Amino acid sequence: DSGVTQTPKHLITATGQRVTLRCSPRSGDLSVYWYQQSLDQGLQFLIQYYNGEERAKGNILERFSAQQFPDLHSELNLSSLELGDSALYFCASSTRTVDGYTFGSGTRLTVV
Amino acid sequence: AQKITQTQPGMFVQEKEAVTLDCTYDTSDPSYGLFWYKQPSSGEMIFLIYQGSYDQQNATEGRYSLNFQKARKSANLVISASQLGDSAMYFCAIFGDGLTFGKGTHLIIQP
């Protein structure tokens, strides 16, 4: 157990739908990062939150949004889903860069 | 913008041999950090080792060491005495806005 908790582990939904992925960072970590891993694009950084505020944006689509709540858990909202959004979505948290970024086990999203 | 290049899509290595996984990077930042992650078939991302751009010595963590050559912009991962459990995807990454990952190397350790 890495200490970063992601739910659900698997999600199957239809095109056009909206889903919410949840992440609880490791205790004491203020930063949360979201990544998407697909066969086409590899591992891509989506967005970072630090203590409730958006800190950095990567290749995140406009149909996707995220937020970090006062208890530091984060949610990634994916809307108007397309087949190409099928991927493994990771959340990661960190305290010190030298200690690396701790990843959750991921949410595997399948859009049918 | 940062970029990571991993030129070995796949590698087969005999158990107990040493393995070198190649990674070159490109960045305009004067200060940066380099990471290696392991992703076994189960899918989780496991942090292996970190190298800061101003670190004087190459990083080591158990059987993992990082051969950091700043002038060549390379950060190769060396795994000593490979084990069957080392079979996995290995990703090199650089820190900027989040981590920028390479496409990975699929390492297979053969008995």
Side-chain angles (χ1 to χ4, degrees), chain A residues 35 37 45 90 97-99 101, chain B residues 35 37 39 43 95 97 99:
Chain A
Y35 292 86
Q37 185 177 30
F45 167 65
F90 285 108
T97 302
V98 296
D99 295 330
Y101 295 77
Chain B
F35 301 79
Y37 279 84
Q39 186 177 38
F95 179 74
D97 285 337
L99 291 173

Side-chain angles (χ1 to χ4, degrees), chain A residues 10-78:
Chain A
H10 302 276
L11 200 48
I12 300 176
T13 191
T15 54
Q17 295 297 306
R18 171 189 169 97
V19 297
T20 297
L21 313 184
R22 183 187 168 103
C23 168
S24 293
R26 206 174 45 170
S27 177
D29 287 353
L30 300 179
S31 278
V32 169
Y33 302 80
W34 286 97
Y35 292 86
Q36 179 195 58
Q37 185 177 30
S38 65
L39 287 175
D40 293 345
Q41 303 294 328
L43 266 160
Q44 289 200 101
F45 167 65
L46 297 178
I47 197 165
Q48 177 202 356
Y49 277 81
Y50 179 83
N51 203 20
E53 294 191 0
E54 182 184 304
R55 180 63 65 91
K57 258 186 176 179
N59 298 320
I60 189 166
L61 300 172
E62 286 191 9
R63 299 183 286 109
F64 296 0
S65 65
Q67 53 185 327
Q68 186 179 27
F69 295 87
D71 66 352
L72 300 179
H73 91 270
S74 178
E75 293 180 355
L76 179 67
N77 300 297
L78 315 176

